[in-house]
Short mmCIF file of all heavy atoms in Angstrom, two decimals:
data_model
loop_
_atom_site.label_atom_id
_atom_site.label_comp_id
_atom_site.label_asym_id
_atom_site.label_seq_id
_atom_site.Cartn_x
_atom_site.Cartn_y
_atom_site.Cartn_z
N VAL B 60 19.05 3.38 -3.55
CA VAL B 60 19.60 3.66 -2.23
C VAL B 60 20.43 4.93 -2.37
O VAL B 60 21.43 4.93 -3.08
CB VAL B 60 20.48 2.51 -1.72
CG1 VAL B 60 21.19 2.91 -0.43
CG2 VAL B 60 19.65 1.26 -1.52
N VAL B 61 20.01 6.00 -1.72
CA VAL B 61 20.58 7.32 -2.00
C VAL B 61 21.65 7.68 -0.98
O VAL B 61 21.40 7.70 0.22
CB VAL B 61 19.50 8.40 -2.01
CG1 VAL B 61 20.09 9.73 -2.44
CG2 VAL B 61 18.34 8.00 -2.89
N THR B 62 22.86 7.96 -1.47
CA THR B 62 23.93 8.45 -0.61
C THR B 62 24.06 9.95 -0.82
O THR B 62 23.47 10.51 -1.74
CB THR B 62 25.26 7.79 -0.95
OG1 THR B 62 25.64 8.17 -2.27
CG2 THR B 62 25.16 6.27 -0.87
N GLN B 63 24.85 10.61 0.00
CA GLN B 63 25.02 12.05 -0.13
C GLN B 63 25.63 12.42 -1.47
O GLN B 63 25.22 13.38 -2.11
CB GLN B 63 25.90 12.58 1.02
CG GLN B 63 25.23 12.44 2.35
CD GLN B 63 25.97 13.18 3.47
OE1 GLN B 63 25.54 13.14 4.60
NE2 GLN B 63 27.07 13.82 3.15
N GLN B 64 26.64 11.63 -1.87
CA GLN B 64 27.31 11.92 -3.13
C GLN B 64 26.35 11.76 -4.31
O GLN B 64 26.33 12.59 -5.22
CB GLN B 64 28.52 11.00 -3.31
CG GLN B 64 29.37 11.33 -4.52
CD GLN B 64 29.93 12.74 -4.45
OE1 GLN B 64 30.64 13.11 -3.53
NE2 GLN B 64 29.61 13.57 -5.44
N ARG B 65 25.55 10.71 -4.24
CA ARG B 65 24.57 10.48 -5.31
C ARG B 65 23.59 11.65 -5.41
O ARG B 65 23.29 12.13 -6.50
CB ARG B 65 23.81 9.17 -5.02
CG ARG B 65 22.67 8.89 -5.97
CD ARG B 65 23.18 8.51 -7.35
NE ARG B 65 22.09 8.31 -8.31
CZ ARG B 65 21.76 9.17 -9.27
NH1 ARG B 65 22.45 10.29 -9.41
NH2 ARG B 65 20.78 8.91 -10.11
N LEU B 66 23.15 12.10 -4.26
CA LEU B 66 22.21 13.22 -4.22
C LEU B 66 22.87 14.50 -4.75
O LEU B 66 22.27 15.26 -5.50
CB LEU B 66 21.70 13.43 -2.80
CG LEU B 66 20.67 14.54 -2.59
CD1 LEU B 66 19.48 14.39 -3.52
CD2 LEU B 66 20.22 14.59 -1.13
N ALA B 67 24.12 14.70 -4.34
CA ALA B 67 24.86 15.87 -4.79
C ALA B 67 25.00 15.87 -6.32
O ALA B 67 24.80 16.89 -6.97
CB ALA B 67 26.23 15.94 -4.13
N ASP B 68 25.34 14.70 -6.87
CA ASP B 68 25.46 14.58 -8.32
C ASP B 68 24.14 14.91 -9.00
O ASP B 68 24.09 15.65 -9.97
CB ASP B 68 25.89 13.16 -8.70
CG ASP B 68 27.33 12.89 -8.33
OD1 ASP B 68 28.08 13.87 -8.08
OD2 ASP B 68 27.73 11.72 -8.25
N TYR B 69 23.08 14.36 -8.44
CA TYR B 69 21.76 14.54 -9.04
C TYR B 69 21.32 16.00 -9.01
O TYR B 69 20.76 16.52 -9.97
CB TYR B 69 20.74 13.67 -8.30
CG TYR B 69 19.35 13.75 -8.85
CD1 TYR B 69 19.04 13.19 -10.08
CD2 TYR B 69 18.35 14.41 -8.15
CE1 TYR B 69 17.76 13.27 -10.60
CE2 TYR B 69 17.06 14.51 -8.65
CZ TYR B 69 16.77 13.93 -9.88
OH TYR B 69 15.51 14.03 -10.38
N ALA B 70 21.61 16.67 -7.88
CA ALA B 70 21.13 18.04 -7.70
C ALA B 70 22.13 19.09 -8.17
O ALA B 70 21.89 20.28 -8.04
CB ALA B 70 20.78 18.29 -6.23
N ASN B 71 23.27 18.62 -8.70
CA ASN B 71 24.32 19.54 -9.15
C ASN B 71 24.80 20.47 -8.04
O ASN B 71 25.07 21.65 -8.28
CB ASN B 71 23.83 20.39 -10.33
CG ASN B 71 23.66 19.55 -11.57
OD1 ASN B 71 24.55 18.82 -11.96
ND2 ASN B 71 22.49 19.64 -12.18
N THR B 72 24.89 19.94 -6.85
CA THR B 72 25.46 20.70 -5.74
C THR B 72 26.77 20.04 -5.37
O THR B 72 26.99 18.88 -5.68
CB THR B 72 24.52 20.66 -4.52
OG1 THR B 72 24.22 19.30 -4.22
CG2 THR B 72 23.23 21.38 -4.81
N ASP B 73 27.68 20.75 -4.70
CA ASP B 73 28.90 20.08 -4.33
C ASP B 73 28.70 19.31 -3.03
O ASP B 73 27.81 19.61 -2.23
CB ASP B 73 30.10 21.02 -4.29
CG ASP B 73 30.06 22.02 -3.16
OD1 ASP B 73 29.69 21.66 -2.03
OD2 ASP B 73 30.40 23.17 -3.43
N LYS B 74 29.55 18.33 -2.83
CA LYS B 74 29.31 17.41 -1.72
C LYS B 74 29.48 18.08 -0.37
O LYS B 74 28.83 17.69 0.60
CB LYS B 74 30.24 16.20 -1.83
CG LYS B 74 31.72 16.56 -1.80
CD LYS B 74 32.59 15.32 -1.88
CE LYS B 74 34.06 15.72 -1.77
NZ LYS B 74 34.96 14.57 -1.71
N MET B 75 30.33 19.13 -0.28
CA MET B 75 30.54 19.82 0.99
C MET B 75 29.28 20.54 1.42
O MET B 75 28.85 20.43 2.57
CB MET B 75 31.69 20.82 0.86
CG MET B 75 33.06 20.19 0.76
SD MET B 75 33.41 19.50 -0.86
CE MET B 75 33.70 20.98 -1.83
N MET B 76 28.69 21.25 0.47
CA MET B 76 27.46 21.97 0.77
C MET B 76 26.35 20.98 1.09
O MET B 76 25.62 21.15 2.07
CB MET B 76 27.09 22.82 -0.45
CG MET B 76 26.17 23.96 -0.16
SD MET B 76 24.47 23.46 -0.34
CE MET B 76 24.38 23.30 -2.14
N THR B 77 26.25 19.95 0.29
CA THR B 77 25.24 18.92 0.50
C THR B 77 25.35 18.33 1.90
O THR B 77 24.35 18.16 2.60
CB THR B 77 25.40 17.81 -0.55
OG1 THR B 77 25.45 18.40 -1.84
CG2 THR B 77 24.26 16.81 -0.47
N SER B 78 26.58 18.05 2.30
CA SER B 78 26.82 17.50 3.64
C SER B 78 26.25 18.42 4.72
O SER B 78 25.56 17.96 5.63
CB SER B 78 28.32 17.32 3.84
OG SER B 78 28.62 17.04 5.19
N LYS B 79 26.53 19.72 4.58
CA LYS B 79 26.07 20.67 5.60
C LYS B 79 24.56 20.81 5.63
O LYS B 79 23.94 20.80 6.70
CB LYS B 79 26.71 22.04 5.35
CG LYS B 79 28.06 22.16 6.02
CD LYS B 79 28.81 23.39 5.54
CE LYS B 79 30.31 23.17 5.67
NZ LYS B 79 31.09 24.20 4.98
N VAL B 80 23.96 20.94 4.46
CA VAL B 80 22.52 21.11 4.42
C VAL B 80 21.82 19.86 4.97
O VAL B 80 20.83 19.97 5.69
CB VAL B 80 22.06 21.41 2.98
CG1 VAL B 80 20.54 21.47 2.91
CG2 VAL B 80 22.65 22.72 2.50
N LEU B 81 22.39 18.69 4.67
CA LEU B 81 21.78 17.46 5.19
C LEU B 81 21.92 17.37 6.70
O LEU B 81 21.04 16.82 7.39
CB LEU B 81 22.40 16.24 4.51
CG LEU B 81 21.91 16.03 3.07
CD1 LEU B 81 22.70 14.95 2.37
CD2 LEU B 81 20.41 15.70 3.06
N GLN B 82 23.01 17.89 7.23
CA GLN B 82 23.14 17.94 8.69
C GLN B 82 22.05 18.82 9.29
O GLN B 82 21.44 18.48 10.31
CB GLN B 82 24.52 18.49 9.08
CG GLN B 82 25.65 17.47 8.91
CD GLN B 82 27.02 18.07 9.18
OE1 GLN B 82 27.21 18.79 10.15
NE2 GLN B 82 27.97 17.79 8.31
N THR B 83 21.81 19.96 8.64
CA THR B 83 20.73 20.85 9.08
C THR B 83 19.39 20.12 9.04
O THR B 83 18.61 20.17 9.99
CB THR B 83 20.66 22.10 8.18
OG1 THR B 83 21.94 22.72 8.16
CG2 THR B 83 19.63 23.08 8.70
N LEU B 84 19.14 19.45 7.91
CA LEU B 84 17.86 18.75 7.74
C LEU B 84 17.72 17.61 8.74
O LEU B 84 16.62 17.32 9.20
CB LEU B 84 17.74 18.23 6.30
CG LEU B 84 17.51 19.31 5.24
CD1 LEU B 84 17.56 18.72 3.84
CD2 LEU B 84 16.17 20.00 5.47
N GLU B 85 18.83 16.98 9.08
CA GLU B 85 18.78 15.90 10.08
C GLU B 85 18.44 16.50 11.45
O GLU B 85 17.61 15.95 12.19
CB GLU B 85 20.13 15.17 10.15
CG GLU B 85 20.09 13.93 11.00
CD GLU B 85 21.44 13.22 11.04
OE1 GLU B 85 22.48 13.92 11.14
OE2 GLU B 85 21.47 11.98 10.98
N ARG B 86 19.04 17.64 11.75
CA ARG B 86 18.78 18.30 13.03
C ARG B 86 17.31 18.70 13.14
O ARG B 86 16.72 18.65 14.21
CB ARG B 86 19.69 19.54 13.16
CG ARG B 86 20.31 19.73 14.55
CD ARG B 86 21.20 20.96 14.60
NE ARG B 86 22.19 21.01 13.54
CZ ARG B 86 22.27 21.98 12.63
NH1 ARG B 86 21.40 22.99 12.66
NH2 ARG B 86 23.19 21.97 11.69
N LYS B 87 16.76 19.08 11.99
CA LYS B 87 15.34 19.47 11.97
C LYS B 87 14.42 18.25 11.93
O LYS B 87 13.19 18.41 11.94
CB LYS B 87 15.06 20.37 10.77
CG LYS B 87 15.79 21.71 10.81
CD LYS B 87 15.04 22.82 10.10
CE LYS B 87 15.05 22.70 8.59
NZ LYS B 87 14.30 23.81 7.94
N GLY B 88 15.01 17.06 11.82
CA GLY B 88 14.20 15.85 11.83
C GLY B 88 13.49 15.55 10.52
O GLY B 88 12.51 14.82 10.48
N MET B 89 14.02 16.11 9.43
CA MET B 89 13.39 15.92 8.13
C MET B 89 14.00 14.76 7.37
O MET B 89 13.41 14.21 6.46
CB MET B 89 13.53 17.20 7.29
CG MET B 89 12.85 18.41 7.89
SD MET B 89 11.10 18.13 8.13
CE MET B 89 10.87 18.76 9.78
N VAL B 90 15.23 14.41 7.76
CA VAL B 90 16.00 13.40 7.03
C VAL B 90 16.74 12.53 8.04
O VAL B 90 17.14 13.02 9.10
CB VAL B 90 17.03 14.11 6.11
CG1 VAL B 90 18.17 13.20 5.73
CG2 VAL B 90 16.34 14.65 4.86
N GLU B 91 16.87 11.24 7.74
CA GLU B 91 17.71 10.37 8.58
C GLU B 91 18.91 9.93 7.77
O GLU B 91 18.83 9.75 6.56
CB GLU B 91 16.91 9.15 9.04
CG GLU B 91 15.94 9.47 10.18
CD GLU B 91 15.03 8.31 10.49
OE1 GLU B 91 14.56 7.65 9.55
OE2 GLU B 91 14.80 8.06 11.69
N ARG B 92 20.03 9.77 8.46
CA ARG B 92 21.26 9.33 7.78
C ARG B 92 21.80 8.08 8.47
O ARG B 92 22.27 8.13 9.61
CB ARG B 92 22.31 10.44 7.82
CG ARG B 92 21.83 11.73 7.17
CD ARG B 92 22.97 12.71 6.98
NE ARG B 92 23.59 13.09 8.24
CZ ARG B 92 24.80 13.64 8.34
NH1 ARG B 92 25.50 13.86 7.25
NH2 ARG B 92 25.28 13.96 9.52
N PHE B 93 21.71 6.95 7.79
CA PHE B 93 22.26 5.69 8.31
C PHE B 93 23.58 5.42 7.61
O PHE B 93 23.84 5.95 6.53
CB PHE B 93 21.30 4.54 8.01
CG PHE B 93 19.88 4.83 8.39
CD1 PHE B 93 18.97 5.24 7.42
CD2 PHE B 93 19.47 4.70 9.71
CE1 PHE B 93 17.65 5.51 7.77
CE2 PHE B 93 18.16 4.97 10.06
CZ PHE B 93 17.25 5.38 9.09
N SER B 94 24.38 4.58 8.24
CA SER B 94 25.60 4.18 7.53
C SER B 94 25.24 3.10 6.51
O SER B 94 24.38 2.25 6.74
CB SER B 94 26.65 3.67 8.51
OG SER B 94 26.12 2.65 9.32
N HIS B 95 25.91 3.21 5.39
CA HIS B 95 25.62 2.33 4.26
C HIS B 95 26.09 0.92 4.55
O HIS B 95 27.14 0.71 5.15
CB HIS B 95 26.32 2.89 3.03
CG HIS B 95 25.86 2.33 1.74
ND1 HIS B 95 26.31 1.13 1.26
CD2 HIS B 95 24.97 2.80 0.81
CE1 HIS B 95 25.73 0.89 0.09
NE2 HIS B 95 24.92 1.89 -0.20
N ARG B 96 25.27 -0.07 4.15
CA ARG B 96 25.62 -1.47 4.41
C ARG B 96 26.89 -1.89 3.69
O ARG B 96 27.84 -2.38 4.31
CB ARG B 96 24.46 -2.38 3.97
CG ARG B 96 23.49 -2.73 5.09
CD ARG B 96 22.29 -3.47 4.56
NE ARG B 96 21.07 -2.68 4.71
CZ ARG B 96 20.47 -2.46 5.89
NH1 ARG B 96 20.98 -2.94 7.01
NH2 ARG B 96 19.36 -1.75 5.95
N GLN B 97 26.93 -1.66 2.39
CA GLN B 97 28.06 -2.14 1.59
C GLN B 97 29.28 -1.23 1.71
O GLN B 97 30.41 -1.69 1.66
CB GLN B 97 27.67 -2.25 0.11
CG GLN B 97 26.90 -3.52 -0.23
CD GLN B 97 25.43 -3.39 0.15
OE1 GLN B 97 24.82 -2.37 -0.10
NE2 GLN B 97 24.87 -4.42 0.78
N ASP B 98 29.05 0.08 1.83
CA ASP B 98 30.15 1.05 1.79
C ASP B 98 30.29 1.77 3.13
O ASP B 98 29.45 2.57 3.50
CB ASP B 98 29.88 2.06 0.66
CG ASP B 98 31.10 2.90 0.36
OD1 ASP B 98 31.92 3.11 1.29
OD2 ASP B 98 31.26 3.35 -0.78
N GLY B 99 31.35 1.46 3.82
CA GLY B 99 31.56 2.00 5.17
C GLY B 99 31.76 3.50 5.20
O GLY B 99 31.62 4.12 6.25
N ARG B 100 32.08 4.11 4.06
CA ARG B 100 32.28 5.56 4.03
C ARG B 100 30.96 6.29 3.86
O ARG B 100 30.76 7.38 4.39
CB ARG B 100 33.18 5.95 2.85
CG ARG B 100 34.53 5.31 2.82
CD ARG B 100 35.15 5.45 1.44
NE ARG B 100 34.34 4.80 0.41
CZ ARG B 100 34.59 4.84 -0.87
NH1 ARG B 100 35.64 5.51 -1.31
NH2 ARG B 100 33.83 4.20 -1.73
N ALA B 101 30.06 5.65 3.13
CA ALA B 101 28.85 6.36 2.68
C ALA B 101 27.76 6.44 3.74
O ALA B 101 27.70 5.63 4.66
CB ALA B 101 28.31 5.69 1.43
N LYS B 102 26.91 7.46 3.59
CA LYS B 102 25.71 7.63 4.41
C LYS B 102 24.48 7.39 3.54
O LYS B 102 24.36 7.98 2.46
CB LYS B 102 25.65 9.05 4.97
CG LYS B 102 26.81 9.42 5.88
CD LYS B 102 26.42 9.39 7.34
CE LYS B 102 27.61 9.45 8.25
NZ LYS B 102 27.91 10.81 8.70
N GLN B 103 23.61 6.56 4.06
CA GLN B 103 22.38 6.27 3.33
C GLN B 103 21.29 7.21 3.81
O GLN B 103 21.06 7.37 5.01
CB GLN B 103 21.99 4.82 3.61
CG GLN B 103 20.80 4.32 2.85
CD GLN B 103 20.59 2.84 3.07
OE1 GLN B 103 21.55 2.13 3.38
NE2 GLN B 103 19.38 2.38 2.94
N LEU B 104 20.61 7.88 2.88
CA LEU B 104 19.65 8.92 3.24
C LEU B 104 18.21 8.44 3.15
O LEU B 104 17.87 7.62 2.30
CB LEU B 104 19.83 10.13 2.32
CG LEU B 104 21.24 10.74 2.31
CD1 LEU B 104 21.33 11.80 1.23
CD2 LEU B 104 21.59 11.29 3.66
#
Side-chain angles (χ1 to χ4, degrees):
Chain B
V60 172
V61 186
T62 65
Q63 293 190 180
Q64 186 60 59
R65 174 71 183 105
L66 182 54
D68 289 343
Y69 181 70
N71 291 310
T72 53
D73 69 42
K74 59 179 183 174
M75 288 77 74
M76 201 270 288
T77 309
S78 169
K79 273 168 206 169
V80 175
L81 285 171
Q82 284 175 44
T83 305
L84 288 173
E85 189 180 41
R86 222 180 309 119
K87 295 210 287 180
M89 298 301 134
V90 158
E91 283 172 319
R92 302 191 299 162
F93 312 99
S94 54
H95 195 279
R96 266 172 246 287
Q97 279 80 44
D98 192 332
R100 302 164 299 176
K102 298 257 167 95
Q103 184 174 334
L104 303 172

